[in-house]
Amino acid sequence: ATVQRALGELWRLRNWAGAHFNEWAETVTTDEAVEFVDTVRDLVTLFECPLCANLVVYNRSAQALICPVCKPQPPVHTHWSYDPGWHGRAIRMLSRNHAQLRKNALAMTTSQFTYFLRDMRRHVGLSVPARQDDAYTAAELYPPFLEWAQAHPRAVTGSQEWGETLQERHLAVLTFRHDGRWNVRVEQLDAFVRAIHQFISLFSCDACAQLLDHDGEDGGYFCAACDGRRHSSSRASAYWFVGLGLRPGGP
């Protein structure tokens, strides 16, 4: 806004003094000329990557400016975090009705939901601000993942459509979130574990519980293990955002 206001006052100098010869231009002071040059330089800087100074480009799908040079590359080896067997272990812990085991079940469930979102970022190529250490939180990944999921339906069993099912399970998860944090009382643990499991099951294989991939060409979901296909972790799944208050390392 500051640069915009300055240019609004100074842009005429380009035509009056810089682009065409006229006698009036002789009255332009050195300070006015320097101020105009500095303002133009400030404008250009807003569209340069703060790391490498290359001009950024606008990515329509991400609706953001990105640096085509500094966009991080996927790691050579992908380390998956999500454990499909977590739900069975959580159920066994809850069935013991032991205070410490129930706390462990809570910690396991919240962790696995974060791991689920981190892994799904790679599985579906989710466009989010890049983090070099891959240390995304659930609060950072859940909103963009939900938006992506709404736009990429999967065939579900029963009479409900994808949108209804997704919204229903999303609301069940929100019951236990407040201001971006989990808020689960002891008596809610069973319902919480069930809500998280039901949400994740929308994106996991019915046969082996592994997380699904998404084929960007045909728009379908597939299980890399059961269908004998390669997962999509090598696809770009993060963008290095610049110019919008975002810098390396996230907001």
Side-chain angles (χ1 to χ4, degrees):
T2 302
V3 174
Q4 185 179 16
R5 285 194 297 270
L7 282 177
E9 298 172 359
L10 297 171
W11 70 269
R12 297 176 181 82
L13 289 179
R14 186 265 177 193
N15 283 339
W16 292 348
H20 308 286
F21 174 80
N22 58 73
E23 294 183 1
W24 177 89
E26 296 180 356
T27 66
V28 176
T29 67
T30 300
D31 288 343
E32 288 175 319
V34 171
E35 183 181 5
F36 175 67
V37 171
D38 288 342
T39 302
V40 173
R41 178 66 252 179
D42 289 341
L43 175 65
V44 174
T45 300
L46 290 176
F47 295 91
E48 290 180 342
C49 174
L51 291 182
C52 69
N54 277 282
L55 291 178
V56 298
V57 296
Y58 182 70
N59 182 282
R60 291 183 179 275
S61 62
Q63 296 184 342
L65 298 173
I66 66 170
C67 177
V69 177
C70 290
K71 188 169 69 173
Q73 298 298 317
V76 177
H77 300 290
T78 301
H79 299 285
W80 302 109
S81 302
Y82 178 74
D83 179 5
W86 75 270
H87 181 243
R89 294 199 303 277
I91 292 298
R92 289 192 293 272
M93 289 179 183
L94 293 175
S95 67
R96 297 281 297 277
N97 201 26
H98 185 277
Q100 186 57 51
L101 287 177
R102 293 181 72 84
K103 289 182 180 179
N104 292 345
L106 172 61
M108 179 190 298
T109 304
T110 56
S111 296
Q112 288 299 324
F113 188 71
T114 300
Y115 298 156
F116 156 74
L117 291 170
R118 289 178 183 176
D119 284 4
M120 285 303 293
R121 178 184 73 82
R122 294 184 181 279
H123 278 288
V124 304
L126 189 66
S127 297
V128 294
R131 284 187 177 278
Q132 295 286 32
D133 56 3
D134 238 14
Y136 298 90
T137 65
E140 292 169 326
L141 291 178
Y142 186 63
F145 177 74
L146 183 65
E147 182 178 356
W148 180 91
Q150 290 168 338
H152 297 84
R154 180 191 176 196
V156 292
T157 57
S159 58
Q160 284 186 314
E161 297 293 332
W162 171 257
E164 295 178 64
T165 303
L166 181 63
Q167 180 67 5
E168 179 183 279
R169 300 192 185 184
H170 161 61
L171 292 176
V173 171
L174 283 189
T175 303
F176 306 98
R177 290 201 52 96
H178 180 69
D179 292 336
R181 296 186 177 185
W182 296 114
N183 183 21
V184 186
R185 297 191 300 272
V186 175
E187 64 272 18
Q188 295 177 312
L189 271 175
D190 296 86
F192 172 62
V193 171
R194 182 168 57 254
I196 296 300
H197 178 251
Q198 288 181 340
F199 184 89
I200 292 177
S201 68
L202 291 176
F203 307 95
S204 56
C205 177
D206 297 331
C208 70
Q210 296 286 342
L211 297 183
L212 299 172
D213 285 82
H214 184 266
D215 191 318
E217 295 184 3
D218 65 22
Y221 290 82
F222 67 92
C223 175
C226 296
D227 298 338
R229 297 173 61 177
R230 294 184 60 184
H231 61 68
S232 54
S233 63
S234 61
R235 294 185 304 169
S237 55
Y239 290 94
W240 199 283
F241 287 65
V242 297
L244 299 176
L246 298 174
R247 287 295 183 266

